[in-house]
Structure formats: C-alpha cells, structure tokens
Amino acid sequence: MTETNNLLPTETHPFPPFLPPDAKVLIMGTFPPKPVRWSMEFYYPNKTNDFWRIMGLIFYGSADYFRNPDGTFRRDDIELFLREKGIALHDTGAEVRRLKDNAADKFLEIVRPVNLAALLSAIPSCHYVATTGEKAAGVVASITDTPLPRIGQFVTTRWQPDGRELHLTRMPSTSRAYPLAVDKKAEAYRELFIAAGIL
C-alpha cells in the first residue's frame, strides 16, 4: 500500500448481512459496486452481473427468472427465494478503498475484513462458505488460516469457535469480466447446492 492510496477515501459495506437463521450456505463476494451501478439496494445489484441469472437457471430453469422487463431485479422475490432455500449472503470486505473508480477486485483494497465469526454464529446450520472470486476466497482463507482452493474446489476445516466442519469453496466469479458462459457458471454453483443439501 502506498502513501497515495492512504489519501483515497474508504467505504463501509452498504448492506446488512442477509442471514436466514436456517441457512446452509453462506455466499460471499468482495464488495458491492458503486451505487451508480445498482439496480436494487441488495447483493449483486449490477444488472450485468450473472449472479441472479445463475440462481434463476439453477432453481427455475430461466436466467431471466428474477429480472423485470427493464433488466432490474425483483428484490422481494429474491429475498423470499433465499429464505426458502436457506442461502445467506454477505461480502468479505467490511471496509474497502477503491484504487480505481470501479468495483474490479484487483482495484479493491480490503481495509477491514468481515467479521466471519459473527456471521457464522447467526447461522449455526451453515457448513458451506462459498466465495464468488479469488479476492474473496483469499480473505476467507486468511481468516480461517486455510489454503486458497482452486476454482470449483473446496478445503475443509474445523471452525474453532464452535467446532463445526466448514467447507470453504471457491466458485467462478459471477462478474461478466470472468470469461465463462453463464450456463457453465451455473453448473459449478449447482454442484455447491447439491453438496449442501439444498438441491
């Protein structure tokens, strides 16, 4: 980190953790894009991000299931879906500094990582933590003192605060910048949900 970087402002995470009490999977990205890119005030708000297309494909057979005609997402339906399926969401950056004027992971500096222990204490049935990119996976690996898994792979660890077995999975990025077709991304996420007992 350079002295110039220290002069840049920091941002704290704009969304509260989404933690259905019976969640089996916690999915974590790095940090939301700038508000100008949001189509809703919720996780993965960028209309060009593939996350909700992936969820639509896996659970409803349509990449457009959660989309309105104008391309925005239906937050109420999304939250209902997440509660019904037991999927929790948050990000690995609690406070970040944007080194460029965008949300690209390579230009995000994690100033303060998420309090993973607090998240997991609220979802005691969760045994799968899945990250949607390399930087997020690196943060979780650092917090849990585990190796960085390959894309689509996981490492298993014993979570010391409560003794539960955790599977830490690194998923393909849902960003359009990641060069993989959305149906291929969906296949990887489908395997995660099968392993977690959601599918």
Side-chain angles (χ1 to χ4, degrees):
M1 181 170 59
T2 67
E3 186 175 339
T4 303
N5 289 351
N6 280 329
L7 299 177
L8 295 172
T10 65
E11 297 176 41
T12 55
H13 202 287
F15 307 141
F18 186 84
L19 303 172
D22 59 349
K24 296 178 179 179
V25 174
L26 170 61
I27 299 179
M28 308 188 79
T30 307
F31 200 79
K34 297 184 74 172
V36 69
R37 307 284 293 179
W38 297 358
S39 68
M40 61 178 173
E41 293 188 13
F42 196 64
Y43 293 89
Y44 305 98
N46 191 329
K47 288 192 286 186
T48 63
N49 191 284
D50 281 332
F51 188 85
W52 298 116
R53 292 176 179 84
I54 291 167
M55 297 302 111
L57 275 173
I58 293 171
F59 291 95
Y60 303 102
S62 170
D64 294 325
Y65 184 83
F66 292 113
R67 295 178 69 195
N68 292 311
D70 65 357
T72 59
F73 299 109
R74 300 194 312 279
R75 178 179 171 180
D76 289 348
D77 289 345
I78 283 170
E79 291 195 27
L80 179 62
F81 152 74
L82 294 169
R83 289 191 181 95
E84 287 179 346
K85 300 301 181 183
I87 300 170
L89 298 177
H90 199 38
D91 289 316
T92 54
E95 183 179 3
V96 304
R97 183 177 282 116
R98 297 188 198 273
L99 306 183
K100 300 282 186 184
D101 195 28
N102 60 37
D105 275 1
K106 65 181 178 179
F107 298 125
L108 276 181
E109 176 193 329
I110 305 289
V111 176
R112 179 168 49 91
V114 69
N115 184 341
L116 185 60
L119 298 182
L120 289 173
S121 69
I123 45 175
S125 298
C126 177
H127 291 272
Y128 288 80
V129 176
T131 51
T132 62
E134 182 177 5
K135 184 177 284 282
V139 173
V140 170
S142 176
I143 292 171
T144 58
D145 194 25
T146 55
L148 182 70
R150 294 175 179 269
I151 296 172
Q153 303 295 313
F154 65 87
V155 296
T156 301
T157 189
R158 186 68 61 181
W159 181 240
Q160 292 305 319
D162 60 20
R164 85 180 90 169
E165 187 176 76
L166 275 185
H167 305 282
L168 310 174
T169 308
R170 178 180 166 192
M171 305 304 297
S173 172
T174 61
S175 168
R176 287 286 177 87
Y178 184 73
L180 189 66
V182 67
D183 60 325
K184 297 296 184 184
K185 293 180 184 181
E187 288 177 14
Y189 282 81
R190 185 187 304 277
E191 291 300 316
L192 165 70
F193 293 130
I194 289 171
I198 290 174
L199 277 174

